[in-house]
Every structure is written in C-alpha cells, then in structure tokens.
Amino acid sequence: MTVTINGQAHQLTTAPDRPLLDVLREDLGLTGTKYGCGEGQCRACTVLLNGKPVTSCLTPVRLADGKSVTTIEGLAPGDRLHRVQQAFLDAEAMQCGYCVPGMILRTVSLLEATPHPTDAQIIDALNGNLCRCCGYVRILDAVRRAAQQEGGRPHAE
Amino acid sequence: MPNEPERYELFEAPPYQFQLNRRDFLEVAGFVICLTATPLLDAQTAAKPRARLAFAADGTVTVFAGKVEVGQGAATELAMAVAEELRLPVSKVRAVLGDTDLCPNDGITAGSRTTPATVPEARKAAAAHRGGELSPPPAWKTLGQSHPAQNARAIVTGRHQYPSDIRRPGMLYAAVLRPPSFGAKLLSIDPSVLKDKSLTVVNDNGFVAVAAPTSFAARQAVATLAAAARWETKPHPASADLFRVLKETATNPRENKRGDLAPAFAAASKQSRGTYQTPYIQHAPMEPRAAVAEWLDGKLTVWTGTQNPFGVQQQLQQAFRLSAEQVRVIEPGSGGGFGGKHTGEVAIEAARLAKEAGKPVHLRWTRAEEFAWAYCRPAGLWEIQAALDANGRLTAWDFASYNAGTAGLESPYRIPNTRTRFFRSDSPLREGSYRGIAATTNNFARECAMDELAALAGQDPLDFRLAHLDNPRLRDVLVAVAEKFNWKSRRQKPGAALGIAAGFEKGSYVAACVEVAKDAKSGFAIRDFHMAYECGAILNPSNLRAQVEGAIIQGLGGALMESIEFVNGRLTNGSFTAYRLPRLRDVPPLTITLLDRKDLPSVGAGETPIIVVAPALAAAVSALTGQRRRSLPLRSA
C-alpha cells in the first residue's frame, strides 16, 4: 500500500484491516490522532482523507491506499500554526485537550466547504465531536474566530 | 457526623494477586534480605530530591507538585502562584507534576484540594526563597489575572504526549481478556489456540492478557482466547431493580440529630414526603485508562493516566513486591479525570505484561472496558420528610440518604428539628468518586424537596430559601443569580417554567436559575441557564470560568440524559453509541457571574458548580409539566 501522509509518501506493509488510527499512531508515531471510542461516535480520531474528515478508528488502512491523509501534525508547516489552531489557542478552547486535534481538523474541513458558517452550521458540523470537559462554549467561540480570520494564511509563531 | 468524602476509594481490595513465577519470588526474597541487611536504600530515599522549587542558570524556575493535570488547570495555577511570589513573569516558571521520582507527595488530585492545599505550599516556598511574606490578594500582579494553559500550544499541534501517546523502544501493545459479565469467574482458557509465537501471553491468577507488536494483533489474540474461555457466571441484579436493592441491603445508618422530630411533626401545619433517585453515571473521560510500563535494571517505570500517582506507586509496589525506590510513576497530563481515575488497574496490568515480555508494554483500555470496568458515580436513593408551621417556616427535616455518599448530607438551612441519616447499601456496580460526588446528588434531593416545600408554603422558592438561610456567602450567590436572571419579574410572567437551586461544598458557594420551555422533540428545552459562584479570591479568572462552564454542561448530562443500564451482569449501554453525553447542540445560553472575594482564602472550583444544575432543572421541568420530577435523568424514556 502507498499512502501519502502529511505530504510524504509511505509504503506500508501491514494487515489491510488494521484501523488507520492504529497505523498512524503505532507504525508512524503520529500520536496527535487520538483513540476515544472505536465506534466513530466521538471523532477524537478525525483525520482528513483526501481532504474529507473521517473517523480513523473505523477506517481500515486499505481504504487509504493511494490516497492522502492529513493529521494534526501535518496541518501547518514547521513551527507555524494553521489559523484554526491559532483560533483554538486564542479562544483558550481546551481543558484536557484530548478532543482538540479532532475538533481542529473537523473545523478545517467545515471552513473549506463553508468559509462563513452560521452557528447552526458550526453545530451541525461539530456535534459529532465529543468533549467530556464540556468546553463547548469556547470551542464554538474558536470556530467563529477562525471563520473571521482571512482564509488560508497560516499564522507565524 | 464526621465527614468521609472519599470513602469509596478506601474499601477496595487490590485488583490483582499475582502468582508471578518462581524466579520472581526468589528475586523478591533476595531483595527483602538485602533490605534488612543494609540501610543503603533508605539512605537513598532520604537523599532523593523532593524540593518544591528548582532554579536554573537561565533564570527559569521549576515548581514540582505531586498533583496532576487533567485539564482543570493545576499546572498553570501552580506556575502562576510561584511567579507571583518570586515576582517573575509566568513564562519563566514551569510546573512538573505527578512524577513520583521528582515531586513531593501532595496526595491524590481530588476534593478540589490543589487550590487550598498545594498552591499555598508553592507560594510559601517561593516567598521563603524571596525572603518575604506571602503577597496579599489586593497586591497580586499575576494571581488574579487570566493566564492561558501552559501546554496549550502543544495541545493544538498534537505534540502533547498523553499517557496513551508514550512510545518506548521495542514497545509492545496489549489487550486484556475481560469477564463476560460482572462477577464471572474464569474456569479455563486454552492458550494453545494462539499459534503466533511472537505473542506474549500472561495467565496469572485470573489475569489473562496478550502483548503483541500491534494493538490490532493483541485484540485479535484476546478475541481468540475469549472464544475458547469457560466462565462461571454469577446472578447480578438488573438496573430496573437498582433502587429496591439499595433499600433492601441498607445497613444500620450513621445518624445525626438536632432537636426533636416527633413533636414537630405532630404540631405541623403542613407536611411533605418524597422519594428521590439518581442512577449510576460514568465519567467517560475522552482518554480511557492507559499505561506504558517498562522494567529496566529491576526498576519499574509506568507512565499512566491517574489522579493518584503516589497511590498507584503503592499499588505497583504491592502487586510486584517492590520498594518505593523501585517504582516510578509518571503522569504526563492525561485526557480527563472528573474523579474517575483514582485507581491504578491499568498500570498494574501493563506492568505485569511488560515483566513477562521483557519489553515495554502499552495498554489502553477500550471504551467498552472503560464503561464496564472503571467505576461509576454511586447511585442514590433518598427519603425526605419535612414539616412547616402555620407561618410557612420549616420546623422538621428528616433526611435519609442511601448509598450516594456522605458529602453534602447536612442541610444549610435553619431548621430547629432535624435527623440526617446515611445508609450504606450493597452496590451492584463498582462505584467511586466523581466530580462533586455525593454533594451533587444529596444536594439534588434536598433542593428538590426545598422547591416542593416552598410551593406547599405558598412562597416564592427564592424567598423561602432566603427565609431559612443564615450563611451570608450562600445568601450572596442566591441574591446575585436571582438579580442577574431577573427572577422576580420573570416569575410574574404567566406560564414561565423557572427553577432555582443553591448549595455549598468544599468551601465554595453556588446558585443557579434556569428557564425551560416546551419542545416538540425532546419534551422541553432550556431557554437560558444562569449561575453565580463564589470560591474566595479568584486565582485565574479565565480558567475558573472554563471550569464553571464545563461543570454546568457536564452537570446537564447527569441531569438530563445519563444513566448506566445493566441486565444479567452486563451493561446494555456501555458505549458512546448508546450512552448519551452532552454535545455542542445541548449547550444552552449560559450566564455566569463570578464573585471575587479578595478578602477570603481561595478554594478549589472544579467540582462545586455542578451541584445545583440538576435540582434547578428538575424544579423548572416540574413547573413546566405540573408533575413533580424526583428522579434523574429528567429526559429518561
């Protein structure tokens, strides 16, 4: 299998039914993608597959063959932050932070499709992402902030 | 009545009694002789650095504390406290928490104790280094100001390493064979069904687990073992019978009395009587229990998610017959706790496998394991009887609480004749601490009863409470929230379904107002939710607000939708698919009023705001429907 992960092509030899989540974390050391439930119900494991958000816990690695995967580690080059990461920082939208990579990737995908979402559209897009610290007030604030930023330009550190 | 807020932590037997093997026993025996023969190890212990502060040549300072960071803001708060007393910018101070080799033993991270106990320790150490007195709150430059979490950048970039993210050279991944139902005993397994010789299999006194090069292979191997395992099952009550079981198995109560109930009830103008129920609920932290264990030169190191690193160190010592010097527990900052990670099962399991494999082992519980084999918030049952005189004053209060726990048992209201009883029961499920634990559920029952008594007295529930309250801090939050919410005028509006509740716990004071309205889909919707909260001098306003927001919304879960269900010894809703939790769509408009009392000592704030959420909502829903709601969750089918 060949999977492009964060812009880099990887030849993978592994059981084709292993969850993409496990391959990212265990074989490639990309531990920013989190296990939350293995049911696709909390979306802590969200990655972008050809730009679309998927729950990597339920995605067998074979379905990523020939495709590109973006994880939280590959969202912005080097030490720079993607504007959505910056918005989560500015809104202090984290307590334990375990849900945050999934929240950020889901938001990136929302804003690409809908650059100026209404609150209802934000809620529709992120309702599947669980935060047990229940930091939803600030998560909503972070998404609104990200939407207000100019599109596409990563912030310098 | 003496308080025992953490009683559930203390009554469990160790999770495992390993046989280990003959070679281990010999090693242990040799070690014990060595210990008795020479005091070398004791000397090492004494020499170990347990300093509160370390000063680097570049001018940065490190503060060490045995507490842990689970998202409540302890690390930043401790850094701020030291920065304040050393007159340094917060960026110059770093907090290292939860490492048993490096940190002083500050006890378990529970009971909202970091703020009132550990922060003062850190401040004292810093002030002593400076050679001055503690800075008084009005003079604070750093404390009292909002500071973001120190690891925020690491979190948004995915670089923060939670316990389940730790990687060690040669590390294997593990899975554990769990019983098919509560109380089931393993009769036999057949390890020969596993053909792959690269697997490490442990079968030790009921603990059966596999370590493999990938977690996928480990899970598959455990599934293969499970298919051939034989179990002896045990009858287990169903959740439908829960409250009957709690009542029937109740033992002699602890009792606290004031005045004389019988004459007060005999002379009563009006009486009320009610039974209240709260089910088991789960913490369900986003990161399940996880540990990475590594044995190196006879020393065991475990990275794990726990609120009790020194307690886990002791459990590991006991399980493997080691001295404290031979066990290091590191808590790198984990994905949520809420009182649910006080124990060390996963650390012991990973360490047992790592010992067998001779390699580091990573074990992360599945969500299903976390639901079934972690512990729940205790279920509770209450019987409350109360009397009013002709003036609508409370004269008698008879409060019986079953199984919920002893925190928050005593009424804050002025009542001349009271009896407060707490009954222990046989709990069908494993139960333990939870955010606010029994204060939340005891307060739910009490405040529901107060709402009913106000109605019986024909009084506004705000006025009724104030008429029975002497505590000025509790009065202040009630008045503050009622004013902000516009309680008096909103009550005049015909058909308005409002609820109010108040309470105090762990030295802080809280009150809430809520309005609900009919909703075609879910029965009722929350129009808006107001809270006033006071916890002494505020240390980090932004973090405090985040804690209060989180407590309210987490409280909505227990109030509206959460209940662990079981039958035949198995959970029927032990998954995120079946167990509903608060999500973004469930968040109502929130208005939070924080009272900053610079004249009062700071106390912890992670727990207490949750205690008024359910009773305020129950009162509002009762007003909406005209039917008293005395059980949680309020949206149960």
Side-chain angles (χ1 to χ4, degrees):
Chain A
M1 275 178 285
T2 307
V3 186
T4 302
I5 295 163
N6 297 331
Q8 212 186 330
H10 289 262
Q11 300 293 325
L12 301 173
T13 310
T14 187
D17 284 339
R18 272 178 81 200
L20 176 59
L21 172 70
D22 289 5
V23 176
L24 292 171
R25 292 178 53 85
E26 296 172 12
D27 299 14
L28 300 166
L30 296 170
T31 54
T33 308
K34 307 301 183 195
Y35 169 90
C37 64
E39 309 162 41
Q41 289 292 319
C42 75
R43 296 190 186 169
C45 65
T46 298
V47 299
L48 303 180
L49 185 63
N50 280 356
K52 299 278 180 241
V54 297
T55 47
S56 64
C57 73
L58 291 184
T59 306
V61 65
R62 63 183 154 76
L63 294 186
D65 189 17
K67 294 182 181 164
S68 80
V69 173
T70 304
T71 71
I72 191 71
E73 292 92 342
L75 200 51
D79 283 337
R80 293 157 77 90
L81 295 181
H82 188 281
R83 65 184 166 123
V84 176
Q85 290 172 311
Q86 186 65 48
F88 271 71
L89 261 192
D90 294 344
E92 294 181 49
M94 74 278 298
Q95 291 186 33
C96 83
Y98 195 81
C99 69
V100 166
M103 291 279 182
I104 288 175
L105 286 163
R106 194 84 197 176
T107 303
V108 167
S109 132
L110 167 70
L111 297 183
E112 270 170 19
T114 314
H116 302 289
T118 62
D119 279 359
Q121 288 172 315
I122 297 172
I123 289 167
D124 275 348
L126 284 151
N127 198 58
N129 288 63
L130 199 59
C131 169
R132 273 305 279 151
C133 302
C134 296
Y136 296 114
V137 174
R138 289 175 188 207
I139 289 165
L140 183 61
D141 181 37
V143 181
R144 285 176 184 152
R145 282 173 191 244
Q148 281 159 13
Q149 308 269 345
E150 279 181 80
R153 253 192 342 177
H155 284 241
E157 184 158 10
Chain B
M1 188 183 301
N3 214 1
E4 43 162 0
E6 304 294 345
R7 80 174 178 97
Y8 288 103
E9 266 67 66
L10 307 172
F11 286 77
E12 269 195 347
Y16 296 107
Q17 299 288 340
F18 293 134
Q19 300 293 334
L20 299 171
N21 57 43
R22 191 177 143 74
R23 187 170 49 89
D24 293 321
F25 275 122
L26 291 176
E27 276 176 12
V28 169
F31 171 70
V32 171
I33 290 159
C34 165
L35 245 189
T36 1
T38 154
L40 179 68
L41 282 163
D42 285 339
Q44 281 175 348
T45 314
K48 259 194 175 163
R50 282 292 191 279
R52 181 66 69 190
L53 300 172
F55 299 85
D58 64 359
T60 59
V61 180
T62 305
V63 53
F64 297 94
K67 297 296 188 188
V68 306
E69 176 61 59
V70 284
Q72 83 282 34
T76 304
E77 188 177 279
L78 284 159
M80 286 168 63
V82 168
E84 175 67 53
E85 300 299 344
L86 290 176
R87 314 283 190 255
L88 284 174
V90 189
S91 59
K92 296 281 184 198
V93 184
R94 190 173 70 100
V96 170
L97 304 188
D99 184 328
T100 60
D101 261 19
L102 301 179
C103 300
N105 183 351
D106 293 302
I108 187 169
T109 306
S112 293
R113 295 299 300 161
T114 303
T115 294
T118 315
V119 166
E121 291 292 320
R123 288 180 63 200
K124 277 181 217 156
H129 180 84
R130 192 187 79 228
E133 299 287 303
L134 286 185
S135 310
W140 283 349
K141 298 280 195 297
T142 301
L143 289 172
Q145 306 298 315
S146 289
H147 289 273
Q150 292 207 315
N151 62 347
R153 198 181 171 90
I155 283 172
V156 300
T157 53
R159 284 185 201 139
H160 174 73
Q161 286 198 309
Y162 296 85
S164 57
D165 298 335
I166 300 292
R167 293 163 64 79
R168 303 295 299 166
M171 185 171 88
L172 302 175
Y173 294 85
V176 177
L177 178 70
R178 301 291 174 192
S181 56
F182 298 122
K185 232 180 98 182
L186 185 62
L187 296 177
S188 70
I189 59 157
D190 180 10
S192 73
V193 296
L194 298 178
K195 307 297 177 205
D196 182 349
K197 294 303 159 210
S198 74
L199 300 172
T200 299
V201 183
V202 172
N203 177 11
D204 186 347
N205 207 14
F207 175 67
V208 177
V210 177
T214 68
S215 56
F216 186 69
R219 288 195 300 271
Q220 284 190 322
V222 164
T224 306
L225 284 174
R230 289 176 53 243
W231 301 87
E232 183 184 286
T233 59
K234 209 171 107 178
H236 190 269
S239 43
D241 296 325
L242 172 61
F243 299 104
R244 183 180 56 75
V245 170
L246 295 184
K247 183 76 193 270
E248 284 178 4
T249 61
T251 51
N252 285 339
R254 300 157 61 113
E255 185 171 308
N256 196 18
K257 276 170 118 170
R258 186 170 60 234
D260 199 350
L261 280 183
F265 277 116
S269 167
K270 287 174 176 164
Q271 291 194 33
S272 79
R273 183 193 286 268
T275 300
Y276 306 83
Q277 298 170 345
T278 63
Y280 295 108
I281 62 175
Q282 261 295 10
H283 315 77
M286 289 303 295
E287 182 181 40
R289 283 163 167 69
V292 171
E294 179 177 83
W295 295 83
L296 209 61
D297 302 328
K299 176 158 179 164
L300 170 64
T301 301
V302 182
W303 293 260
T304 189
T306 178
Q307 296 172 243
N308 194 8
F310 287 89
V312 173
Q313 181 191 33
Q314 282 180 7
Q315 290 179 34
L316 288 164
Q317 286 176 243
Q318 186 179 32
F320 299 98
R321 297 139 204 177
L322 299 169
S323 68
E325 294 71 33
Q326 291 173 298
V327 181
R328 179 182 188 181
V329 173
I330 303 172
E331 218 296 354
S334 59
F338 320 115
K341 289 181 179 167
H342 289 191
T343 47
E345 319 84 337
V346 72
I348 297 169
E349 291 164 355
R352 181 66 188 86
L353 281 154
K355 191 168 182 65
E356 194 80 14
K359 288 178 180 175
V361 166
H362 175 288
L363 175 63
R364 182 190 62 216
W365 281 19
T366 64
R367 181 55 57 189
E369 288 177 299
E370 185 70 29
F371 267 108
W373 303 104
Y375 52 82
C376 297
R377 183 174 84 180
L381 171 72
W382 293 261
E383 292 159 342
I384 305 176
Q385 199 176 351
L388 298 170
D389 68 13
N391 298 320
R393 291 298 176 118
L394 264 170
T395 53
W397 176 259
D398 191 7
F399 185 86
S401 173
Y402 295 82
N403 194 61
T406 55
L409 273 177
E410 293 294 336
S411 172
Y413 299 105
R414 188 188 335 103
I415 311 167
N417 306 290
T418 65
R419 180 171 66 161
T420 306
R421 288 179 296 166
F422 172 68
F423 298 81
R424 279 194 185 155
S425 306
D426 289 344
S427 171
L429 296 191
R430 187 180 184 212
E431 51 184 22
S433 193
Y434 187 98
R435 194 176 204 165
I437 189 174
T440 311
T441 47
N442 281 322
N443 205 56
F444 164 72
R446 174 169 51 245
E447 286 293 281
C448 284
M450 287 299 287
D451 196 66
E452 294 170 40
L453 285 159
L456 198 61
Q459 293 180 31
D460 177 331
L462 169 66
D463 296 337
F464 182 73
R465 283 178 173 81
L466 289 173
H468 291 91
L469 265 186
D470 296 321
N471 188 310
R473 294 173 74 181
L474 194 49
R475 291 182 66 94
D476 285 351
V477 288
L478 251 176
V479 169
V481 77
E483 281 181 2
K484 189 88 181 171
F485 183 79
N486 228 345
W487 172 265
K488 284 284 177 187
S489 67
R490 283 172 77 164
R491 251 180 75 83
Q492 302 309 312
K493 209 178 110 204
L498 310 184
I500 190 167
F504 75 96
E505 173 64 11
K506 301 184 171 82
S508 71
Y509 297 81
V510 64
C513 293
V514 62
E515 177 169 5
V516 301
K518 280 202 160 48
D519 180 78
K521 204 167 146 222
S522 58
F524 61 90
I526 300 171
R527 282 230 168 117
D528 62 340
F529 190 102
H530 281 235
M531 178 175 282
Y533 181 57
E534 188 259 291
C535 56
I538 297 173
L539 295 180
N540 184 349
S542 174
N543 184 61
L544 174 60
R545 194 165 284 275
Q547 285 300 302
V548 174
E549 289 166 354
I552 293 171
I553 300 168
Q554 195 164 73
L556 292 179
L560 299 180
M561 55 189 91
E562 293 181 48
S563 172
I564 290 286
E565 308 290 342
F566 48 97
V567 66
N568 294 328
R570 297 175 201 217
L571 301 189
T572 56
N573 62 348
S575 69
F576 277 170
T577 309
Y579 188 85
R580 260 284 269 139
L581 289 162
R583 291 179 179 268
L584 190 52
R585 200 187 303 287
D586 300 311
V587 178
L590 300 180
T591 304
I592 294 164
T593 306
L594 302 176
L595 308 185
D596 190 10
R597 291 288 304 266
K598 292 240 186 284
D599 56 320
L600 292 169
S602 309
V603 298
E607 302 185 70
T608 299
I610 204 171
I611 73 171
V612 291
V613 177
L617 269 162
V621 173
S622 299
L624 182 74
T625 60
Q627 281 190 315
R628 275 291 159 194
R629 299 301 301 269
R630 291 170 171 149
S631 299
L632 298 180
L634 294 167
R635 276 201 186 119
S636 69

